[in-house]
């Protein structure tokens, strides 16, 4: 019975041998319960998602076995690749807005594990057996419900790792073949791309625990020389967070009106520029205020991939770059990933690879 928390993965730096390999999908993790006419789509935290994806409720009834529990990912495809920004737009309080988006940017469901079928729980069943049962259960499934491609060939997994990024995927997931399903346990392995970029540090937020650094606000200059907010880096030891307050204090600006992001508090300003601090339905009433710094310092950060013109996830601080000028930190330094058609990832209808 719902809610059920999904099994999770821990990060490793290389693809391990002797496992089942799948692409890492960049969407909303979801566990679907079906019992006849009843469908419940549960989020990673167990909250129901039915109202946000009405088109999937219909599609899942048409494509899943009559009684089952399936683990997978909700994604939106745009211009032949995954589009996480359009996916987040679906979490909207207005039913009319959700209905319109369901028609204009319909979602898909990519299934990659089977937790129960009929009266039988498969939680203690090895992955290899669950995969075989899932393949059989979705043998007649059609878009927008897909069976995630999987392989036990590490060479093919390496090939996927390189090629599938161009379709907006995150990397590769490796799963031991004898692994039972353990909700909320990090027993799988994820291998993600990592790149580095030199960015301008243009502000910071205080940590929720007190007057120490919570996160650094990062910027890159666009083709017009405008400094755009591209994300944050936030993983620092507590001692280092305190040291950074003193270290950055000389850069604090007494008059924030001179800052490139001075208009951050004006909602309309976010329509034409990337600025920090915009309220959204994700942040709610969370305090998004920040301390502006003179955009004079440059640091190197590691990131996995870009979502449009920003870092998709929190970047990782690597080092200060006193040898770099802030104006030299532009989007041009970022590696451009070769585009890849998502239809090629999912293969033939139903998500079954052709080979």
């Amino acid at each position: 019975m719902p809610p059920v928390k999904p099994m999770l993965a821990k990060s490793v730096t290389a693809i391990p041998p002797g496992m089942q390999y799948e692409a890492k999908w960049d969407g909303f993790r979801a566990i679907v319960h079906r019992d006849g006419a009843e469908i419940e789509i549960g989020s990673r935290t167990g909250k129901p998602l039915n109202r946000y994806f009405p088109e999937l409720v219909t599609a899942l009834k048409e494509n899943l076995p009559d009684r089952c529990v399936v683990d997978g990912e909700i994604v939106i495809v745009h211009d032949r690749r995954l589009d996480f920004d359009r996916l987040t737009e679906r979490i909207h309080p207005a039913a009319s807005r959700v209905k319109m988006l369901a028609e204009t940017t319909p979602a898909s469901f990519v299934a990659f594990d089977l937790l129960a079928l009929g009266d039988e729980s498969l939680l203690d069943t090895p992955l290899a057996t669950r995969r075989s049962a899932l393949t059989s259960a979705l043998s007649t499934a059609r878009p927008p419900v897909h069976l995630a491609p999987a392989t036990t060939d590490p060479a093919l997994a390496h090939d996927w790792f390189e090629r599938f990024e161009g379709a907006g995927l995150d990397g590769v997931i490796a799963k031991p073949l004898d692994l039972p399903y353990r909700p909320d346990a990090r027993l799988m392995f994820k291998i993600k791309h990592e790149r580095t970029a030199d960015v301008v540090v243009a502000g910071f937020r205080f940590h929720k625990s007190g007057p120490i650094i919570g996160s650094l606000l990062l910027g890159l200059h666009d083709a017009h020389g405008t400094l755009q907010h591209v994300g944050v880096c936030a993983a620092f030891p507590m001692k280092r967070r305190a040291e950074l307050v003193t270290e950055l204090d000389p850069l604090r600006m007494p008059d924030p009106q001179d800052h490139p992001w001075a208009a951050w508090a004006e909602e309309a300003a976010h329509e034409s520029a990337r600025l920090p601090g915009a309220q959204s339905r994700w942040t709610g009433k969370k305090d998004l205020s920040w301390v502006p710094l003179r955009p004079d310092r440059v640091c190197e950060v590691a990131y996995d991939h870009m979502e449009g013109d920003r870092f998709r996830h929190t970047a990782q601080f690597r080092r200060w770059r006193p040898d770099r000028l802030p104006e030299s930190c532009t989007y041009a330094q970022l590696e451009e990933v070769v585009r890849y058609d998502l239809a090629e990832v999912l293969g033939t209808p139903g998500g079954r690879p052709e080979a």
Side-chain angles (χ1 to χ4, degrees), residues 104-309:
T104 57
T105 56
S108 298
F109 181 76
V110 183
F112 44 67
D113 213 332
L114 185 63
L115 282 60
L117 184 63
D119 293 329
E120 183 181 4
S121 169
L122 302 179
L123 295 181
D124 294 327
T125 304
L127 169 69
T129 304
R130 297 200 311 275
R131 174 68 191 191
S132 178
L134 177 66
T135 301
S136 177
L138 295 186
S139 62
T140 60
R142 292 294 180 264
V145 175
H146 303 269
L147 173 66
T151 183
T152 56
D153 181 357
L156 182 56
H158 279 88
D159 180 58
W160 287 356
F161 183 76
E162 298 300 330
R163 287 191 297 133
F164 285 5
E165 187 185 11
L169 282 79
D170 251 354
V172 166
I173 294 288
K175 305 177 179 180
L177 291 167
D178 59 352
L179 183 67
Y181 196 96
R182 293 293 178 258
D184 211 27
R186 292 191 179 275
L187 301 177
M188 305 182 295
F189 305 94
K190 57 185 177 182
I191 307 92
K192 301 176 70 173
H193 297 270
E194 180 176 287
R195 298 176 172 84
T196 60
D198 294 327
V199 294
V200 181
V201 177
F204 69 83
R205 290 193 178 99
F206 282 112
H207 196 271
K208 59 184 179 181
S209 66
I212 56 176
I213 296 294
S215 60
L216 301 179
L217 276 58
L218 312 175
L220 286 173
H221 291 94
D222 62 20
H224 304 289
T226 302
L227 187 67
Q228 304 285 359
H229 175 55
V230 294
V232 302
C233 57
F236 300 101
M238 296 303 284
K239 180 182 178 182
R240 182 58 180 148
R241 293 180 188 277
E243 294 171 347
L244 282 170
V245 174
T246 302
E247 190 173 333
L248 296 174
D249 187 68
L251 297 176
R252 293 177 68 161
M253 299 179 67
D255 184 3
Q257 294 305 311
D258 295 331
H259 194 278
W261 301 335
W264 74 274
E266 302 171 15
E267 184 175 351
H270 293 265
E271 298 177 3
S272 58
R274 284 206 57 82
L275 303 171
Q279 293 288 346
S280 74
R281 51 189 174 276
W282 295 100
T283 55
K285 297 181 179 179
K286 181 179 178 181
D287 182 9
L288 297 176
S289 60
W290 54 283
V291 177
L293 300 175
R294 288 199 321 274
D296 294 344
R297 294 200 74 174
V298 174
C299 72
E300 179 184 342
V301 297
Y303 68 98
D304 46 26
H305 75 283
M306 302 291 290
E307 177 69 30
D309 55 2

Side-chain angles (χ1 to χ4, degrees), residues 312-342:
R312 169 69 178 86
H313 302 104
T314 302
Q316 304 297 313
F317 182 90
R318 289 292 180 257
R319 56 177 176 147
W320 292 112
R321 291 296 307 266
D323 56 319
R324 290 293 301 267
L325 296 174
E327 54 267 29
S328 71
C329 299
T330 68
Y331 282 97
Q333 69 181 294
L334 305 180
E335 179 181 349
E336 185 173 347
V337 178
V338 176
R339 293 184 67 84
Y340 191 76
D341 191 340
L342 188 63

